[in-house]
């Protein structure tokens, strides 16, 4: 296989466009081929055995690797600035496969409490059934985390910014703690994407994505991704081959296409989010705005802002806000919106809004939600790529004067 075209030292946008697996593509095409074959023919037994030896790139059966998947994986790895990437049929497949590639019965993992609900379910209800002990730690309680770690702790799992509170976790500090205790750091970078944040550069071991969100970016696919160094990813690839949650060629091709515009989309997502967060902060019926780029009102908020500034290129495009008047008023706002759609998920071209109490956190008792800071009047907005003025006008008519 020829080396990928763009070197890591070239710019992010260049790598996104020119980092395909082959150079040139067959038929001198400028875009990658979409290869649907489930299996591949060989000239000789020797050639087949040699290909099967290559667990990282060998193309002999599409559950292991297929050309279209390898192309998208090479592109994503270059954007992340790391050795390897693996694509999955969903973000949950990426999370479960990556974690299961690291742990076995008798091991222990520590998890920060503010993580995606599906991952909560996996760590709380599935892993313990396989003899893996799980300790939940308050997000950003670094002393509590150190206390929770044991010799058999194999992994620490967390995300930043978190959903829906948009807390920022110190990646460098987490890497230092993990390295000192010999525990691998697995990190969900879905909300930031490799354009805004490169966790492996801070010393983390493995990254996972719901590629369904910004990486694919158009709310038309379910997909996951994992990235990391070559040694780390060899285990992830082997585990993916066993559990079988590989991405299909058509989706992988669509991801390659989406990745080429990730930088431009993220810039516009962030521009829009900044304008909307500033508008919401001024609105008399909005009690509080959670956005990593908002002006700090306390020392702890200032520390969070500084951290976001240090480890993220911009602040992302998720905004949570609490309206005065609680749940009834929040319901009214959502139902009055005309342009911003009521819907779960995030990271697509269109703006979406949801009340966490009806979606990600619906299985929690009100008191549990409130302990996490999620009030009844909280709304979570995924800011899309529409004209920001139109989004503000829609919020204005829904919130009322
Ligand atoms: C932060 C985060 N991680 C992981 C997932 C799971 O991804 P998927 O729905 O693609 O399986 C989601 C889904 O909403 C998410 O928001």
């Amino acid at each position: 296989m020829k080396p990928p075209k763009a070197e890591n030292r070239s710019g992010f946008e260049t790598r996104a466009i020119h980092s395909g697996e082959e150079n040139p593509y067959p038929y001198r095409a400028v875009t990658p081929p979409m290869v649907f074959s489930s299996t591949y023919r060989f000239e000789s037994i020797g050639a087949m055995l040699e290909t099967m030896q290559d667990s990282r790139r060998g193309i002999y059966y599409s559950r292991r690797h297929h050309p279209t998947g390898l192309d998208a994986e090479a592109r994503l790895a270059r954007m992340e600035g790391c050795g390897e990437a693996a694509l999955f049929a969903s973000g949950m497949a990426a999370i479960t496969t990556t974690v299961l590639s690291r742990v076995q019965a008798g091991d222990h993992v520590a998890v920060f409490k503010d993580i995606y609900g599906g991952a909560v379910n996996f760590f709380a209800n599935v892993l313990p059934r396989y003899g893996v002990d799980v300790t939940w730690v308050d997000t950003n309680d670094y002393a509590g985390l150190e206390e929770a770690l044991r010799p058999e702790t194999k992994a620490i799992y967390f995300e930043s910014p978190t959903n829906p509170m948009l807390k920022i976790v110190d990646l460098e500090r987490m890497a230092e703690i993990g390295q000192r205790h010999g525990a691998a750091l697995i990190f969900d970078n879905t909300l930031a994407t490799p354009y805004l944040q490169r966790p492996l550069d801070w010393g983390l071991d493995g990254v996972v994505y719901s590629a369904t969100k910004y990486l694919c970016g158009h709310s038309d696919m379910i997909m996951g991704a994992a990235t990391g160094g070559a040694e780390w990813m060899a285990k992830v690839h082997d585990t993916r081959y066993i559990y079988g949650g590989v991405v299909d060629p058509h989706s992988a091709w669509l991801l390659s296409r989406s990745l080429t515009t990730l930088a431009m989309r993220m810039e516009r997502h962030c521009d829009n989010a900044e304008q909307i967060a500033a508008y919401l902060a001024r609105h008399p019926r909005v009690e509080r705005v959670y956005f990593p780029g908002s002006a700090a009102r306390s020392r702890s908020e200032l520390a969070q802002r500084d951290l976001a500034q240090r480890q993220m290129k911009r602040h992302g495009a998720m905004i949570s806000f609490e309206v005065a008047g609680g749940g009834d008023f929040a319901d009214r706002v959502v139902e009055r919106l005309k342009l911003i759609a009521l819907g779960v998920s995030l990271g697509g071209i269109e703006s979406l809004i949801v009340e966490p109490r009806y979606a990600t956190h619906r299985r929690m008792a009100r008191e549990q939600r409130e302990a996490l800071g999620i009030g009844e009047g909280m709304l979570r907005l995924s800011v899309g790529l529409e004209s920001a003025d139109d989004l503000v006008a829609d919020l204005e008519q829904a919130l009322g004067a």
Side-chain angles (χ1 to χ4, degrees):
M1 202 67 76
K2 290 174 192 147
K5 201 157 114 184
E7 291 304 320
N8 263 343
R9 60 179 173 274
S10 55
F12 186 89
E13 291 83 349
T14 308
R15 295 200 302 279
I17 294 169
H18 291 286
S19 287
E21 177 78 348
E22 288 189 59
N23 180 18
Y25 290 125
Y27 305 108
R28 302 181 309 285
V30 294
T31 58
M34 215 186 295
V35 180
F36 284 111
S37 199
S38 61
T39 190
Y40 304 85
R41 66 201 299 166
F42 292 93
E43 297 296 313
S44 65
I45 292 169
M48 183 177 84
L49 293 178
E50 195 184 323
T51 303
M52 291 170 98
Q53 283 279 319
D54 181 1
S55 63
R56 170 56 191 105
R57 278 199 159 73
I59 298 174
Y60 55 90
Y61 186 57
S62 289
R63 198 180 78 238
R64 174 58 96 169
H65 294 297
H66 49 76
T68 322
L70 283 177
D71 187 85
E73 287 166 357
R75 205 176 291 271
L76 179 61
R78 291 271 157 157
M79 292 162 80
E80 188 89 89
C82 70
E84 309 270 351
L87 297 179
F88 293 85
S90 70
M92 280 308 297
I95 293 168
T96 53
T97 304
T98 300
V99 174
L100 289 168
S101 75
R102 309 307 304 183
V103 297
Q104 58 186 23
D107 288 346
H108 170 252
V109 299
V111 184
F112 270 171
K113 285 181 186 167
D114 294 68
I115 58 167
Y116 169 64
V120 170
N121 205 358
F122 170 66
F123 284 108
N125 302 319
V126 179
L127 265 195
R129 286 201 273 125
Y130 295 91
V132 178
D133 215 6
V134 177
T135 302
W136 296 89
V137 180
D138 286 339
T139 302
N140 282 340
D141 178 2
Y142 302 98
L145 175 64
E146 294 223 42
E147 263 170 47
L149 299 180
R150 317 171 189 163
E152 63 274 20
T153 307
K154 288 287 156 46
I156 302 169
Y157 183 92
F158 67 113
E159 56 186 65
S160 174
T162 65
N163 177 12
M165 300 305 294
L166 301 166
K167 291 179 192 162
I168 307 292
V169 179
D170 188 334
L171 303 187
E172 193 175 20
R173 192 161 177 189
M174 291 296 282
E176 189 277 316
I177 293 172
Q179 278 156 19
R180 197 152 31 79
H181 291 266
L185 278 301
I186 304 177
F187 179 75
D188 185 334
N189 198 31
T190 297
L191 264 59
T193 81
Y195 180 66
L196 298 179
Q197 178 165 271
R198 302 223 318 200
L200 300 169
D201 291 356
W202 293 99
L204 306 191
D205 299 284
V207 175
V208 290
Y209 291 98
S210 170
T212 308
K213 310 301 189 299
Y214 295 104
L215 297 187
C216 290
H218 295 72
S219 302
D220 51 9
M221 279 184 278
I222 296 286
M223 198 190 297
T227 58
E231 218 175 295
W232 175 275
M233 290 305 296
K235 280 195 180 173
V236 174
H237 277 293
D238 286 347
T239 312
R240 183 182 71 175
Y241 190 46
I242 294 167
Y243 286 101
V246 71
V247 75
D248 70 281
H250 185 243
S251 301
W253 187 88
L254 284 168
L255 175 69
S256 275
R257 189 164 86 162
S258 292
L259 288 177
T260 59
T261 58
L262 180 68
M264 287 62 88
R265 285 187 284 109
M266 291 314 292
E267 284 292 336
R268 173 61 179 255
H269 277 297
C270 292
D271 287 346
N272 281 1
E274 280 170 18
Q275 192 173 326
I276 289 164
Y279 161 77
L280 290 171
R282 290 191 303 269
H283 200 286
R285 304 189 94 156
V286 174
E287 280 187 340
R288 192 148 179 201
V289 177
Y290 299 88
F291 177 64
S294 290
R297 300 173 320 165
S298 63
R299 279 172 85 129
S300 65
E301 277 189 14
L302 188 61
Q304 286 275 291
R305 300 293 170 267
D306 287 349
L307 200 49
Q309 212 102 41
R310 197 157 71 91
Q311 63 194 29
M312 294 176 74
K313 190 179 170 82
R314 293 187 70 182
H315 301 108
M318 297 299 298
I319 302 171
S320 295
F321 59 104
E322 190 88 36
V323 289
D328 290 345
F329 186 58
D331 288 352
R332 280 228 303 282
V333 171
V334 167
E335 286 175 353
R336 275 195 217 149
L337 286 166
K338 296 189 169 91
L339 182 62
I340 300 171
L342 165 62
V344 298
S345 199
L346 58 101
I349 51 175
E350 67 296 294
S351 296
L352 290 173
I353 198 158
V354 78
E355 288 169 69
R357 68 191 175 124
Y358 295 141
T360 42
H361 294 72
R362 73 179 177 284
R363 288 197 190 85
M364 270 184 195
R366 180 177 173 163
E367 301 71 51
Q368 275 177 296
R369 283 196 299 267
E370 282 173 354
L372 289 174
I374 303 168
E376 296 298 279
M378 180 177 274
L379 295 143
R380 189 198 74 183
L381 176 62
S382 168
V383 180
L385 302 181
E386 302 92 337
S387 305
D389 290 346
D390 292 335
L391 296 173
V392 167
D394 197 27
L395 287 163
E396 178 84 355
Q397 63 81 23
L399 284 163

Short mmCIF file of all heavy atoms in Angstrom, two decimals, residues 8-57:
data_model
loop_
_atom_site.label_atom_id
_atom_site.label_comp_id
_atom_site.label_asym_id
_atom_site.label_seq_id
_atom_site.Cartn_x
_atom_site.Cartn_y
_atom_site.Cartn_z
N ASN A 8 1.52 14.83 8.21
CA ASN A 8 0.86 15.44 9.35
C ASN A 8 1.19 16.90 9.53
O ASN A 8 0.48 17.64 10.15
CB ASN A 8 1.23 14.67 10.63
CG ASN A 8 0.15 13.68 10.96
OD1 ASN A 8 -0.96 13.78 10.45
ND2 ASN A 8 0.47 12.72 11.79
N ARG A 9 2.33 17.32 8.97
CA ARG A 9 2.71 18.72 9.18
C ARG A 9 1.88 19.66 8.31
O ARG A 9 1.90 20.87 8.51
CB ARG A 9 4.20 18.94 8.98
CG ARG A 9 4.70 18.60 7.61
CD ARG A 9 6.21 18.88 7.52
NE ARG A 9 6.73 18.41 6.25
CZ ARG A 9 7.14 17.18 6.04
NH1 ARG A 9 7.10 16.29 7.02
NH2 ARG A 9 7.59 16.81 4.86
N SER A 10 1.16 19.15 7.31
CA SER A 10 0.31 20.06 6.53
C SER A 10 -0.91 20.45 7.35
O SER A 10 -1.21 19.86 8.38
CB SER A 10 -0.08 19.40 5.21
OG SER A 10 -0.68 18.17 5.46
N GLY A 11 -1.62 21.48 6.87
CA GLY A 11 -2.74 22.03 7.64
C GLY A 11 -3.91 21.06 7.77
O GLY A 11 -4.04 20.11 6.98
N PHE A 12 -4.75 21.30 8.77
CA PHE A 12 -5.88 20.41 9.05
C PHE A 12 -6.77 20.24 7.82
O PHE A 12 -7.15 19.13 7.46
CB PHE A 12 -6.69 20.99 10.23
CG PHE A 12 -7.79 20.10 10.71
CD1 PHE A 12 -7.56 19.16 11.70
CD2 PHE A 12 -9.07 20.20 10.18
CE1 PHE A 12 -8.59 18.33 12.15
CE2 PHE A 12 -10.10 19.38 10.61
CZ PHE A 12 -9.85 18.44 11.61
N GLU A 13 -7.12 21.36 7.18
CA GLU A 13 -8.02 21.30 6.03
C GLU A 13 -7.38 20.51 4.89
O GLU A 13 -8.06 19.76 4.19
CB GLU A 13 -8.38 22.72 5.55
CG GLU A 13 -9.26 23.50 6.51
CD GLU A 13 -8.48 24.19 7.63
OE1 GLU A 13 -7.27 23.90 7.79
OE2 GLU A 13 -9.07 25.03 8.33
N THR A 14 -6.06 20.67 4.72
CA THR A 14 -5.36 19.94 3.65
C THR A 14 -5.39 18.44 3.95
O THR A 14 -5.66 17.62 3.06
CB THR A 14 -3.89 20.43 3.56
OG1 THR A 14 -3.92 21.85 3.45
CG2 THR A 14 -3.18 19.82 2.37
N ARG A 15 -5.12 18.10 5.21
CA ARG A 15 -5.13 16.67 5.57
C ARG A 15 -6.52 16.09 5.38
O ARG A 15 -6.68 14.95 4.96
CB ARG A 15 -4.69 16.49 7.03
CG ARG A 15 -3.26 16.88 7.27
CD ARG A 15 -2.71 16.25 8.55
NE ARG A 15 -3.45 16.56 9.74
CZ ARG A 15 -3.32 17.69 10.44
NH1 ARG A 15 -2.47 18.61 10.04
NH2 ARG A 15 -4.03 17.89 11.53
N ALA A 16 -7.55 16.88 5.70
CA ALA A 16 -8.92 16.38 5.57
C ALA A 16 -9.24 16.05 4.11
O ALA A 16 -9.97 15.10 3.83
CB ALA A 16 -9.91 17.43 6.09
N ILE A 17 -8.67 16.80 3.19
CA ILE A 17 -9.00 16.61 1.77
C ILE A 17 -8.05 15.65 1.09
O ILE A 17 -8.45 14.86 0.23
CB ILE A 17 -9.03 17.99 1.05
CG1 ILE A 17 -10.20 18.81 1.62
CG2 ILE A 17 -9.16 17.83 -0.47
CD1 ILE A 17 -10.21 20.26 1.22
N HIS A 18 -6.78 15.62 1.51
CA HIS A 18 -5.77 14.86 0.76
C HIS A 18 -5.20 13.66 1.51
O HIS A 18 -4.11 13.21 1.18
CB HIS A 18 -4.63 15.79 0.36
CG HIS A 18 -5.04 16.80 -0.66
ND1 HIS A 18 -5.25 16.48 -1.99
CD2 HIS A 18 -5.32 18.11 -0.55
CE1 HIS A 18 -5.61 17.56 -2.64
NE2 HIS A 18 -5.67 18.57 -1.80
N SER A 19 -5.89 13.16 2.53
CA SER A 19 -5.30 12.06 3.30
C SER A 19 -5.93 10.71 3.03
O SER A 19 -5.94 9.85 3.89
CB SER A 19 -5.39 12.36 4.80
OG SER A 19 -4.49 13.37 5.13
N GLY A 20 -6.46 10.52 1.86
CA GLY A 20 -7.03 9.21 1.55
C GLY A 20 -5.96 8.13 1.56
O GLY A 20 -4.76 8.41 1.60
N GLU A 21 -6.39 6.91 1.52
CA GLU A 21 -5.49 5.76 1.68
C GLU A 21 -4.62 5.54 0.44
O GLU A 21 -3.47 5.16 0.54
CB GLU A 21 -6.35 4.53 1.98
CG GLU A 21 -5.61 3.24 2.11
CD GLU A 21 -4.92 3.10 3.46
OE1 GLU A 21 -4.84 4.08 4.21
OE2 GLU A 21 -4.44 1.99 3.74
N GLU A 22 -5.18 5.78 -0.75
CA GLU A 22 -4.43 5.49 -1.96
C GLU A 22 -4.13 6.75 -2.74
O GLU A 22 -4.90 7.71 -2.70
CB GLU A 22 -5.24 4.54 -2.86
CG GLU A 22 -5.29 3.15 -2.31
CD GLU A 22 -5.90 2.18 -3.31
OE1 GLU A 22 -5.37 2.05 -4.42
OE2 GLU A 22 -6.93 1.60 -2.98
N ASN A 23 -3.04 6.71 -3.47
CA ASN A 23 -2.65 7.88 -4.24
C ASN A 23 -1.90 7.42 -5.50
O ASN A 23 -0.78 6.97 -5.37
CB ASN A 23 -1.76 8.77 -3.37
CG ASN A 23 -1.31 10.01 -4.12
OD1 ASN A 23 -1.91 10.37 -5.12
ND2 ASN A 23 -0.26 10.63 -3.63
N PRO A 24 -2.44 7.50 -6.70
CA PRO A 24 -3.79 7.99 -6.96
C PRO A 24 -4.82 6.88 -6.77
O PRO A 24 -4.48 5.71 -6.63
CB PRO A 24 -3.71 8.38 -8.44
CG PRO A 24 -2.72 7.40 -9.00
CD PRO A 24 -1.72 7.11 -7.91
N TYR A 25 -6.10 7.26 -6.78
CA TYR A 25 -7.17 6.26 -6.70
C TYR A 25 -7.28 5.55 -8.06
O TYR A 25 -6.85 6.10 -9.09
CB TYR A 25 -8.50 6.96 -6.39
CG TYR A 25 -8.58 7.50 -4.98
CD1 TYR A 25 -8.88 8.83 -4.75
CD2 TYR A 25 -8.39 6.66 -3.89
CE1 TYR A 25 -8.96 9.33 -3.46
CE2 TYR A 25 -8.46 7.15 -2.59
CZ TYR A 25 -8.75 8.48 -2.38
OH TYR A 25 -8.82 8.96 -1.11
N PRO A 26 -7.87 4.36 -8.06
CA PRO A 26 -8.06 3.65 -9.33
C PRO A 26 -8.79 4.54 -10.34
O PRO A 26 -9.62 5.36 -9.96
CB PRO A 26 -8.93 2.45 -8.94
CG PRO A 26 -8.71 2.28 -7.48
CD PRO A 26 -8.40 3.63 -6.92
N TYR A 27 -8.48 4.35 -11.61
CA TYR A 27 -9.07 5.13 -12.73
C TYR A 27 -8.70 6.61 -12.64
O TYR A 27 -9.35 7.45 -13.23
CB TYR A 27 -10.60 5.00 -12.78
CG TYR A 27 -11.08 3.57 -12.84
CD1 TYR A 27 -11.70 2.99 -11.74
CD2 TYR A 27 -10.90 2.80 -13.99
CE1 TYR A 27 -12.12 1.66 -11.78
CE2 TYR A 27 -11.33 1.48 -14.03
CZ TYR A 27 -11.93 0.92 -12.92
OH TYR A 27 -12.35 -0.37 -12.96
N ARG A 28 -7.69 6.95 -11.86
CA ARG A 28 -7.27 8.34 -11.66
C ARG A 28 -8.40 9.20 -11.09
O ARG A 28 -8.46 10.41 -11.28
CB ARG A 28 -6.72 8.95 -12.95
CG ARG A 28 -5.55 8.19 -13.56
CD ARG A 28 -5.02 8.83 -14.83
NE ARG A 28 -6.04 9.11 -15.82
CZ ARG A 28 -6.63 8.18 -16.59
NH1 ARG A 28 -6.27 6.90 -16.49
NH2 ARG A 28 -7.55 8.51 -17.45
N ALA A 29 -9.35 8.55 -10.39
CA ALA A 29 -10.46 9.29 -9.77
C ALA A 29 -9.90 10.20 -8.67
O ALA A 29 -8.91 9.85 -8.01
CB ALA A 29 -11.46 8.31 -9.16
N VAL A 30 -10.51 11.36 -8.45
CA VAL A 30 -10.04 12.23 -7.37
C VAL A 30 -10.74 11.94 -6.05
O VAL A 30 -10.33 12.43 -5.00
CB VAL A 30 -10.20 13.74 -7.72
CG1 VAL A 30 -9.29 14.13 -8.87
CG2 VAL A 30 -11.64 14.11 -8.00
N THR A 31 -11.82 11.17 -6.09
CA THR A 31 -12.48 10.78 -4.84
C THR A 31 -12.31 9.27 -4.64
O THR A 31 -12.11 8.54 -5.62
CB THR A 31 -13.98 11.13 -4.86
OG1 THR A 31 -14.58 10.48 -5.96
CG2 THR A 31 -14.19 12.63 -4.96
N PRO A 32 -12.40 8.81 -3.40
CA PRO A 32 -12.14 7.39 -3.15
C PRO A 32 -13.20 6.49 -3.77
O PRO A 32 -14.36 6.88 -3.88
CB PRO A 32 -12.20 7.27 -1.61
CG PRO A 32 -12.87 8.51 -1.13
CD PRO A 32 -12.67 9.56 -2.16
N PRO A 33 -12.81 5.28 -4.17
CA PRO A 33 -13.81 4.35 -4.72
C PRO A 33 -14.69 3.79 -3.61
O PRO A 33 -14.24 3.68 -2.45
CB PRO A 33 -12.94 3.24 -5.32
CG PRO A 33 -11.67 3.28 -4.55
CD PRO A 33 -11.47 4.70 -4.11
N MET A 34 -15.92 3.45 -3.95
CA MET A 34 -16.80 2.80 -2.99
C MET A 34 -16.82 1.31 -3.35
O MET A 34 -17.31 0.95 -4.42
CB MET A 34 -18.21 3.38 -3.11
CG MET A 34 -18.92 3.48 -1.79
SD MET A 34 -20.63 4.01 -1.99
CE MET A 34 -20.48 5.63 -2.61
N VAL A 35 -16.23 0.47 -2.52
CA VAL A 35 -16.09 -0.95 -2.85
C VAL A 35 -17.02 -1.75 -1.94
O VAL A 35 -16.84 -1.75 -0.72
CB VAL A 35 -14.62 -1.42 -2.67
CG1 VAL A 35 -14.49 -2.90 -3.00
CG2 VAL A 35 -13.69 -0.59 -3.54
N PHE A 36 -18.00 -2.42 -2.55
CA PHE A 36 -19.01 -3.11 -1.75
C PHE A 36 -18.72 -4.59 -1.51
O PHE A 36 -19.49 -5.26 -0.86
CB PHE A 36 -20.38 -2.97 -2.42
CG PHE A 36 -20.97 -1.60 -2.21
CD1 PHE A 36 -21.10 -0.73 -3.27
CD2 PHE A 36 -21.36 -1.19 -0.96
CE1 PHE A 36 -21.63 0.54 -3.09
CE2 PHE A 36 -21.88 0.07 -0.75
CZ PHE A 36 -22.02 0.94 -1.82
N SER A 37 -17.64 -5.10 -2.09
CA SER A 37 -17.38 -6.53 -1.98
C SER A 37 -17.26 -6.95 -0.50
O SER A 37 -16.63 -6.26 0.30
CB SER A 37 -16.07 -6.84 -2.70
OG SER A 37 -16.02 -8.20 -2.99
N SER A 38 -17.88 -8.10 -0.18
CA SER A 38 -17.73 -8.60 1.19
C SER A 38 -16.46 -9.43 1.32
O SER A 38 -15.93 -9.62 2.40
CB SER A 38 -18.95 -9.44 1.59
OG SER A 38 -19.06 -10.54 0.71
N THR A 39 -15.97 -9.96 0.16
CA THR A 39 -14.76 -10.80 0.20
C THR A 39 -13.89 -10.49 -1.01
O THR A 39 -14.29 -9.74 -1.90
CB THR A 39 -15.16 -12.29 0.29
OG1 THR A 39 -14.00 -13.05 0.57
CG2 THR A 39 -15.84 -12.79 -0.98
N TYR A 40 -12.68 -11.06 -1.03
CA TYR A 40 -11.66 -10.64 -2.01
C TYR A 40 -10.93 -11.88 -2.52
O TYR A 40 -10.69 -12.82 -1.76
CB TYR A 40 -10.70 -9.64 -1.35
CG TYR A 40 -11.47 -8.46 -0.79
CD1 TYR A 40 -12.05 -8.52 0.48
CD2 TYR A 40 -11.72 -7.33 -1.56
CE1 TYR A 40 -12.83 -7.48 0.97
CE2 TYR A 40 -12.50 -6.27 -1.08
CZ TYR A 40 -13.06 -6.36 0.19
OH TYR A 40 -13.84 -5.35 0.66
N ARG A 41 -10.56 -11.89 -3.81
CA ARG A 41 -9.92 -13.07 -4.39
C ARG A 41 -8.39 -12.91 -4.40
O ARG A 41 -7.87 -11.79 -4.43
CB ARG A 41 -10.45 -13.34 -5.78
CG ARG A 41 -10.09 -12.27 -6.80
CD ARG A 41 -11.02 -12.30 -7.99
NE ARG A 41 -10.94 -13.59 -8.67
CZ ARG A 41 -11.83 -13.98 -9.58
NH1 ARG A 41 -12.86 -13.20 -9.89
NH2 ARG A 41 -11.71 -15.14 -10.17
N PHE A 42 -7.71 -14.05 -4.40
CA PHE A 42 -6.24 -14.05 -4.33
C PHE A 42 -5.65 -14.88 -5.47
O PHE A 42 -6.27 -15.85 -5.92
CB PHE A 42 -5.78 -14.62 -2.98
CG PHE A 42 -6.14 -13.71 -1.83
CD1 PHE A 42 -7.33 -13.87 -1.14
CD2 PHE A 42 -5.31 -12.66 -1.48
CE1 PHE A 42 -7.68 -13.01 -0.11
CE2 PHE A 42 -5.65 -11.79 -0.46
CZ PHE A 42 -6.84 -11.96 0.24
N GLU A 43 -4.43 -14.52 -5.88
CA GLU A 43 -3.71 -15.23 -6.95
C GLU A 43 -3.17 -16.57 -6.45
O GLU A 43 -2.95 -17.49 -7.21
CB GLU A 43 -2.53 -14.39 -7.44
CG GLU A 43 -2.93 -13.06 -8.07
CD GLU A 43 -3.74 -13.26 -9.32
OE1 GLU A 43 -3.34 -14.09 -10.15
OE2 GLU A 43 -4.80 -12.61 -9.45
N SER A 44 -2.89 -16.61 -5.13
CA SER A 44 -2.26 -17.82 -4.59
C SER A 44 -2.58 -17.94 -3.11
O SER A 44 -2.97 -16.95 -2.46
CB SER A 44 -0.74 -17.73 -4.75
OG SER A 44 -0.25 -16.67 -3.94
N ILE A 45 -2.36 -19.14 -2.58
CA ILE A 45 -2.57 -19.34 -1.13
C ILE A 45 -1.59 -18.48 -0.35
O ILE A 45 -1.93 -17.86 0.67
CB ILE A 45 -2.39 -20.84 -0.78
CG1 ILE A 45 -3.54 -21.63 -1.41
CG2 ILE A 45 -2.38 -21.06 0.73
CD1 ILE A 45 -3.35 -23.13 -1.38
N GLY A 46 -0.36 -18.39 -0.87
CA GLY A 46 0.67 -17.58 -0.19
C GLY A 46 0.23 -16.14 -0.05
O GLY A 46 0.35 -15.53 1.02
N ALA A 47 -0.31 -15.58 -1.15
CA ALA A 47 -0.75 -14.18 -1.11
C ALA A 47 -1.90 -14.01 -0.12
O ALA A 47 -1.97 -13.02 0.62
CB ALA A 47 -1.18 -13.73 -2.50
N MET A 48 -2.79 -15.01 -0.08
CA MET A 48 -3.92 -14.92 0.85
C MET A 48 -3.42 -14.95 2.30
O MET A 48 -3.83 -14.12 3.14
CB MET A 48 -4.91 -16.06 0.61
CG MET A 48 -6.15 -15.98 1.48
SD MET A 48 -7.35 -17.27 1.13
CE MET A 48 -6.71 -18.59 2.11
N LEU A 49 -2.51 -15.88 2.59
CA LEU A 49 -2.02 -16.00 3.98
C LEU A 49 -1.26 -14.74 4.40
O LEU A 49 -1.40 -14.27 5.54
CB LEU A 49 -1.14 -17.24 4.12
CG LEU A 49 -1.89 -18.57 3.96
CD1 LEU A 49 -0.92 -19.75 4.06
CD2 LEU A 49 -3.00 -18.71 5.00
N GLU A 50 -0.51 -14.19 3.46
CA GLU A 50 0.24 -12.97 3.77
C GLU A 50 -0.73 -11.82 4.10
O GLU A 50 -0.53 -11.07 5.06
CB GLU A 50 1.10 -12.59 2.57
CG GLU A 50 2.16 -11.56 2.92
CD GLU A 50 2.94 -11.12 1.68
OE1 GLU A 50 3.20 -11.97 0.80
OE2 GLU A 50 3.24 -9.93 1.61
N THR A 51 -1.80 -11.71 3.33
CA THR A 51 -2.79 -10.65 3.58
C THR A 51 -3.47 -10.86 4.93
O THR A 51 -3.69 -9.91 5.70
CB THR A 51 -3.84 -10.65 2.45
OG1 THR A 51 -3.15 -10.47 1.22
CG2 THR A 51 -4.85 -9.53 2.63
N MET A 52 -3.79 -12.12 5.24
CA MET A 52 -4.49 -12.40 6.50
C MET A 52 -3.62 -12.13 7.72
O MET A 52 -4.12 -11.87 8.81
CB MET A 52 -5.01 -13.84 6.50
CG MET A 52 -6.13 -14.04 5.50
SD MET A 52 -6.56 -15.76 5.28
CE MET A 52 -7.98 -15.91 6.33
N GLN A 53 -2.30 -12.18 7.53
CA GLN A 53 -1.36 -11.86 8.61
C GLN A 53 -1.44 -10.39 9.01
O GLN A 53 -1.15 -10.03 10.13
CB GLN A 53 0.08 -12.09 8.12
CG GLN A 53 0.53 -13.52 8.05
CD GLN A 53 0.95 -14.01 9.40
OE1 GLN A 53 1.60 -13.28 10.12
NE2 GLN A 53 0.54 -15.21 9.76
N ASP A 54 -1.80 -9.56 8.05
CA ASP A 54 -1.76 -8.12 8.27
C ASP A 54 -3.08 -7.67 8.90
O ASP A 54 -4.02 -7.28 8.21
CB ASP A 54 -1.52 -7.40 6.93
CG ASP A 54 -1.44 -5.89 7.09
OD1 ASP A 54 -1.56 -5.40 8.23
OD2 ASP A 54 -1.27 -5.21 6.07
N SER A 55 -3.13 -7.74 10.23
CA SER A 55 -4.41 -7.48 10.91
C SER A 55 -4.78 -6.00 10.84
O SER A 55 -5.93 -5.64 11.05
CB SER A 55 -4.34 -7.93 12.37
OG SER A 55 -3.35 -7.19 13.02
N ARG A 56 -3.83 -5.15 10.53
CA ARG A 56 -4.15 -3.73 10.45
C ARG A 56 -4.70 -3.31 9.09
O ARG A 56 -5.62 -2.53 9.01
CB ARG A 56 -2.91 -2.89 10.82
CG ARG A 56 -3.04 -1.39 10.56
CD ARG A 56 -4.25 -0.76 11.26
NE ARG A 56 -4.49 0.59 10.78
CZ ARG A 56 -5.47 0.94 9.95
NH1 ARG A 56 -6.31 0.04 9.48
NH2 ARG A 56 -5.63 2.19 9.59
N ARG A 57 -4.15 -3.85 8.01
CA ARG A 57 -4.58 -3.35 6.70
C ARG A 57 -5.04 -4.45 5.75
O ARG A 57 -5.53 -4.15 4.66
CB ARG A 57 -3.43 -2.60 6.04
CG ARG A 57 -3.29 -1.17 6.51
CD ARG A 57 -2.47 -0.36 5.52
NE ARG A 57 -2.74 1.05 5.68
CZ ARG A 57 -2.32 1.78 6.70
NH1 ARG A 57 -1.61 1.22 7.67
NH2 ARG A 57 -2.60 3.06 6.77
#
